């Protein structure tokens, strides 16, 4: 079990919980103040619903991991219940998130792909049951991601920052 206070590459957490599992780590991230932490429960619910509709294990792909992996751990925690795998795509190396996954979710069906989301299609599972888009938030990137991947998604496409980034909303509207 790791220390009750988490001091890492990010910051001191406000939550005091011992951490020895992916669910506890996801709970820790949900206690932090971040625009993404508000949505962790929704992401988990989307994964659970997709698995219920499919009647089994699901493939989740998240594009855009960020520096803490909020969506990564929300999905990994849900996949412990539902079965299935998570593929995380980011243009950066996300070393801190990958280290946290290795520590708190050893053996999880998790694959990290470094690269531009539009250039990695052949490395992604098929079909994709849940797709999370949280990359550059530009209009052209968002439309291109939707055009490239929407036809491969069986259950849900989740877009982050749709209300706070008008380019994401406009891309979805125009798509």
């Amino acid at each position: 079990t790791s220390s009750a206070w988490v001091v890492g590459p990010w910051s001191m957490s406000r939550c005091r919980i011992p951490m020895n599992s992916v669910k506890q780590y996801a709970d820790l991230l949900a206690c932090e103040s971040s625009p993404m932490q508000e949505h962790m429960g929704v992401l988990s619910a989307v994964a659970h619903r997709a698995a219920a509709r499919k009647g089994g294990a699901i493939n989740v792909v998240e594009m855009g991991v960020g520096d803490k992996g909020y969506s990564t751990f929300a999905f990994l925690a849900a996949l412990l219940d539902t079965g299935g795998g998570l593929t995380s795509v980011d243009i950066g190396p996300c070393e801190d998130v990958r280290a946290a996954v290795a520590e708190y979710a050893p053996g999880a069906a998790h694959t990290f792909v470094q690269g531009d989301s539009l250039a990695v299609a052949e490395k992604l599972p098929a079909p994709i049951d849940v797709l999370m888009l949280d990359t550059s938030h530009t209009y052209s990137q968002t439309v291109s991601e939707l055009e490239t991947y929407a036809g491969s998604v069986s259950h849900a496409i989740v877009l982050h920052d749709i209300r706070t980034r008008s380019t994401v909303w406009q891309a979805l509207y125009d798509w």
Side-chain angles (χ1 to χ4, degrees):
T1 301
S2 295
S3 169
W5 280 101
V6 178
V7 181
W10 312 301
S11 65
M12 180 80 73
S13 171
R14 296 176 297 154
C15 300
R16 278 186 160 291
I17 58 173
M19 293 190 313
N20 56 17
S21 75
V22 65
K23 287 189 177 191
Q24 289 172 329
Y25 193 74
D27 287 345
L28 171 83
L29 290 176
C31 292
E32 294 191 356
S33 178
S34 161
M36 183 52 104
Q37 68 67 234
E38 301 170 9
H39 308 301
M40 290 181 71
V42 172
L43 298 177
S44 178
V46 167
H48 279 97
R49 183 168 177 146
R53 283 185 67 196
K54 187 174 181 180
I58 60 171
N59 289 317
V60 177
V61 173
E62 66 169 338
M63 297 187 174
V65 175
D67 63 342
K68 290 193 180 183
Y70 290 102
S71 55
T72 303
F73 282 95
F75 286 129
L76 284 174
L79 290 171
L80 285 176
D81 298 331
T82 66
L86 171 65
T87 302
S88 302
V89 177
D90 201 281
I91 203 158
C94 302
E95 292 170 358
D96 294 337
V97 175
R98 291 166 60 197
V101 169
E103 182 172 353
Y104 299 111
H110 180 254
T111 303
F112 178 79
V113 177
Q114 184 175 353
D116 183 282
S117 61
L118 297 172
V120 299
E122 71 282 351
K123 296 179 182 178
L124 301 181
I128 298 170
D129 297 299
V130 176
L131 174 65
M132 166 81 181
L133 299 178
D134 188 15
T135 59
S136 70
H137 302 101
T138 65
Y139 177 89
S140 62
Q141 181 80 11
T142 304
V143 167
S144 294
E145 288 168 344
L146 289 167
E147 289 174 349
T148 301
Y149 296 109
S152 302
V153 178
S154 66
H155 179 70
I157 300 173
V158 180
L159 293 110
H160 188 240
D161 296 323
I162 195 165
R163 291 186 307 172
T164 59
R165 306 270 180 119
S166 62
T167 54
V168 176
W169 168 250
Q170 192 63 51
L172 178 62
Y173 182 79
D174 290 346
W175 173 72

